[in-house]
């Protein structure tokens, strides 16, 4: 029995089994499509079983594989997909289940060497096996095996996605919603289910379900400055699927005890750390850089590098007076107007936010707005006047 594998990693072996000129054979793929409670594996984990009894991948590390194996052979024999649920039953401790107490919902899909055998189709998977694909979208609610591959999750055109999904979804009334949700999962590097209801499926109305799987890693949020605002922002960003890094040159403030929610804690001069990760190719267009230091000797050097090397979201906290000084300093360092126009400063949407948690919400909202290319959503960097309103001017000064 091999270690866990996503469907993307099994596409090559699957297509090889179905197209081998000397030994093509039917196969079945079991995929986790739902979890509850304590489980060792995540949605998207898959297991391949051939008609000859060969197995690739696993779903639970051994707890339910025997039962899944038999279910896969049954699917191959019947040409019918099935859904299985495995949990722990105290009434039958010897039944296939999870001793950890969790529950796995598993989809089992049969595949055959010929497209026309028993009206099941695997041709849409073959393109995904090449390259290899970076993302895979499968429809899992009906008996037709259908899928589409995305070779470049960062470069794909989400505007064209509705047309590509239409053949799979078969319902124009939900295809726009499907495209938006699928695109969000792919760009965030997450695997998950998209449910669209109601959809016409055969003769009954029932939800359309798409399983989206991607190899893309989670987008990065790199925060510079250890304070209450970065603590709140780190928590908020993790809810959106970001991998969060906090960088500060002051070890007395940047401690794991103070920032348990961040994925990485870096004690280093911010501009040096940014230059290092940029040179190593650890940033992409989805990455967000937030300068929260409130100290020009830190934020000016890091912003100078950020505006030169990073094409994604760049935000800097501060009052409008601090912003004016910051812009003047960056101009003196040779940053041109085109580069400055990409800087979100003061950071966040104009929500009248007060306190770390509300400010964090305004920042992540602006990050989403920038990622969706929605510039007309009231960024503080595009408006004028007090940041927090006239009733809390004193608080504004204390915060910025």
């Amino acid at each position: 029995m091999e270690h866990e594998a996503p469907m993307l990693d099994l596409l090559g072996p699957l297509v090889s089994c179905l197209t081998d000129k000397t030994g093509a054979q039917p196969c079945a793929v079991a995929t986790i499509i739902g979890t509850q409670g304590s489980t060792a594996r995540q949605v998207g984990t898959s297991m391949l079983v051939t008609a000859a009894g060969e197995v690739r991948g696993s779903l639970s590390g051994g707890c339910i594989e025997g039962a899944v194996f038999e279910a896969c052979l049954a699917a191959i024999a019947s040409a019918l997909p099935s859904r299985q649920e495995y949990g722990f039953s105290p009434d039958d401790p010897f039944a296939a289940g999870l001793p950890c107490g969790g529950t796995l919902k598993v989809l089992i899909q049969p595949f055959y060497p010929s497209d026309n055998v028993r009206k099941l189709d695997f041709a849409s998977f073959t393109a995904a096996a090449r390259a290899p694909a970076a993302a895979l979208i499968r429809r899992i609610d009906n008996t037709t095996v259908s899928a589409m591959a995305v070779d470049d999750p960062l470069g794909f055109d989400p505007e064209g996605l509705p047309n590509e999904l239409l053949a799979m979804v078969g319902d124009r009334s939900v295809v726009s919603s499907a495209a938006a949700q699928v695109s969000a999962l792919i760009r965030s590097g997450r695997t998950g289910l998209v449910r669209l209801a109601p959809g016409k499926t055969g003769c009954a109305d029932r939800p359309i379900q798409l399983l989206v799987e991607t190899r893309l890693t989670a987008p990065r949020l790199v925060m510079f400055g250890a304070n209450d605002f970065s603590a709140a922002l780190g928590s908020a960003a993790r809810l959106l699927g970001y991998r969060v890094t906090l960088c500060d040159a002051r070890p007395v403030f940047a401690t794991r005890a103070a920032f348990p929610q961040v994925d990485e804690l870096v004690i280093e001069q911010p501009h040096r750390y940014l230059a290092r990760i940029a040179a190593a190719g650890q940033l992409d267009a989805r990455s967000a850089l937030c300068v929260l230091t409130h100290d020009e000797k830190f934020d000016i050097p890091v912003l100078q590098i950020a505006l030169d090397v990073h094409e994604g979201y760049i935000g800097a906290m501060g009052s409008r007076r601090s912003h004016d000084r910051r812009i003047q300093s960056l101009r003196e360092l040779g940053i041109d107007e085109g580069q400055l126009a990409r800087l979100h400063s003061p950071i966040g949407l104009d929500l009248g936010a007060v306190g770390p948690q509300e400010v964090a919400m305004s920042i992540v909202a602006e990050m989403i707005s920038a990622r969706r290319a929605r510039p007309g959503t009231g960024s503080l960097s595009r408006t004028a006047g007090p940041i927090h309103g006239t009733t809390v001017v004193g608080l504004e000064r204390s915060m910025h």
Side-chain angles (χ1 to χ4, degrees), residues 54-210:
E54 298 173 345
V55 178
R56 300 285 295 270
S58 72
L59 299 187
S60 69
C63 304
I64 64 171
E65 270 64 18
V68 173
F69 176 80
E70 295 297 333
C72 285
L73 293 181
I76 293 172
S78 67
L80 294 174
S82 67
R83 295 184 181 224
Q84 308 291 332
E85 186 169 311
Y86 302 96
F88 176 72
S89 173
D91 298 327
D92 186 2
F94 296 103
L98 303 175
C100 57
T103 300
L104 291 179
K105 295 181 179 179
V106 178
L107 170 70
I108 298 176
Q109 292 177 304
F111 296 83
Y112 297 85
S114 170
D115 289 352
N116 297 319
V117 173
R118 307 184 192 184
K119 298 181 180 179
L120 292 173
D121 172 36
F122 75 86
S124 54
F125 286 83
T126 60
R130 306 186 190 107
L136 181 69
I137 307 164
R138 278 191 280 169
R139 182 166 177 177
I140 64 172
D141 62 278
N142 58 12
T143 58
T144 302
V145 177
S146 58
M148 63 174 286
V150 176
D151 292 331
D152 181 7
L154 291 181
F156 89 107
D157 179 13
E159 297 299 323
L161 196 56
N163 292 332
E164 296 182 54
L165 282 175
L166 182 57
M168 183 186 299
V169 173
D171 188 338
R172 288 189 179 277
S173 67
V174 298
V175 72
S176 294
S177 176
Q181 295 180 65
V182 167
S183 177
L185 283 170
I186 290 175
R187 288 189 175 277
S188 66
R190 290 181 291 163
T191 291
L193 286 176
V194 172
R195 293 182 176 87
L196 306 158
K200 290 289 185 182
T201 312
C203 59
D205 286 346
R206 65 181 181 186
I208 294 171
Q209 296 185 50
L210 304 177

Side-chain angles (χ1 to χ4, degrees), residues 42-391:
Q42 302 301 314
V43 169
T45 303
S46 296
M47 172 176 155
L48 170 67
V49 176
T50 70
E54 298 173 345
V55 178
R56 300 285 295 270
S58 72
L59 299 187
S60 69
C63 304
I64 64 171
E65 270 64 18
V68 173
F69 176 80
E70 295 297 333
C72 285
L73 293 181
I76 293 172
S78 67
L80 294 174
S82 67
R83 295 184 181 224
Q84 308 291 332
E85 186 169 311
Y86 302 96
F88 176 72
S89 173
D91 298 327
D92 186 2
F94 296 103
L98 303 175
C100 57
T103 300
L104 291 179
K105 295 181 179 179
V106 178
L107 170 70
I108 298 176
Q109 292 177 304
F111 296 83
Y112 297 85
S114 170
D115 289 352
N116 297 319
V117 173
R118 307 184 192 184
K119 298 181 180 179
L120 292 173
D121 172 36
F122 75 86
S124 54
F125 286 83
T126 60
R130 306 186 190 107
L136 181 69
I137 307 164
R138 278 191 280 169
R139 182 166 177 177
I140 64 172
D141 62 278
N142 58 12
T143 58
T144 302
V145 177
S146 58
M148 63 174 286
V150 176
D151 292 331
D152 181 7
L154 291 181
F156 89 107
D157 179 13
E159 297 299 323
L161 196 56
N163 292 332
E164 296 182 54
L165 282 175
L166 182 57
M168 183 186 299
V169 173
D171 188 338
R172 288 189 179 277
S173 67
V174 298
V175 72
S176 294
S177 176
Q181 295 180 65
V182 167
S183 177
L185 283 170
I186 290 175
R187 288 189 175 277
S188 66
R190 290 181 291 163
T191 291
L193 286 176
V194 172
R195 293 182 176 87
L196 306 158
K200 290 289 185 182
T201 312
C203 59
D205 286 346
R206 65 181 181 186
I208 294 171
Q209 296 185 50
L210 304 177
L211 176 60
V212 182
E213 180 185 334
T214 176
R215 297 183 196 275
L216 202 63
T217 58
R220 293 194 68 179
L221 166 63
V222 183
M223 305 182 298
F224 301 97
N227 53 45
D228 290 343
F229 295 96
S230 51
L233 178 58
S235 296
R238 288 199 68 186
L239 292 176
L240 297 178
Y242 280 87
R243 178 165 67 91
V244 179
T245 300
L246 173 65
C247 176
D248 197 298
R250 306 165 299 172
V252 68
F253 295 111
T255 66
R256 179 54 67 181
F259 296 93
Q261 71 277 59
V262 303
D263 298 291
E264 299 166 303
L265 189 61
V266 179
I267 310 300
E268 189 173 345
Q269 288 290 339
H271 68 286
R272 292 175 184 168
Y273 175 69
L274 177 58
R276 180 162 59 83
I277 63 174
Q282 296 177 14
L283 300 174
D284 60 37
R286 302 170 306 146
S287 301
L289 306 179
C290 293
V291 180
L292 312 173
T293 52
H294 296 132
D295 191 333
E296 291 187 9
K297 69 175 179 290
F298 290 113
D299 62 15
I300 295 300
V302 77
L303 285 173
Q304 181 183 12
I305 294 173
L307 292 169
D308 188 46
V309 304
H310 183 50
E311 60 184 25
Y313 178 88
I314 304 170
M317 180 175 281
S319 66
R320 297 202 183 277
R321 184 181 303 171
S322 297
H323 166 74
D324 291 340
R325 292 198 307 268
R326 178 185 296 141
I327 292 299
Q328 183 59 37
S329 297
L330 290 170
R331 285 192 179 113
E332 293 171 358
L333 290 170
I335 302 299
D336 63 38
E337 297 305 311
Q339 292 173 300
L340 291 174
R342 297 192 296 110
L343 175 60
H344 296 270
S345 170
I347 197 170
L349 293 190
D350 189 4
L351 306 180
V354 176
Q357 284 72 33
E358 290 188 2
V359 170
M361 291 298 103
S362 77
I363 295 173
V364 296
E366 185 176 61
M367 288 162 53
I368 294 171
S369 174
R371 192 168 65 189
R372 301 284 191 271
R374 297 288 296 273
T377 47
S379 292
L380 283 166
S381 59
R382 307 294 185 261
T383 60
I387 294 177
H388 304 290
T390 56
T391 60

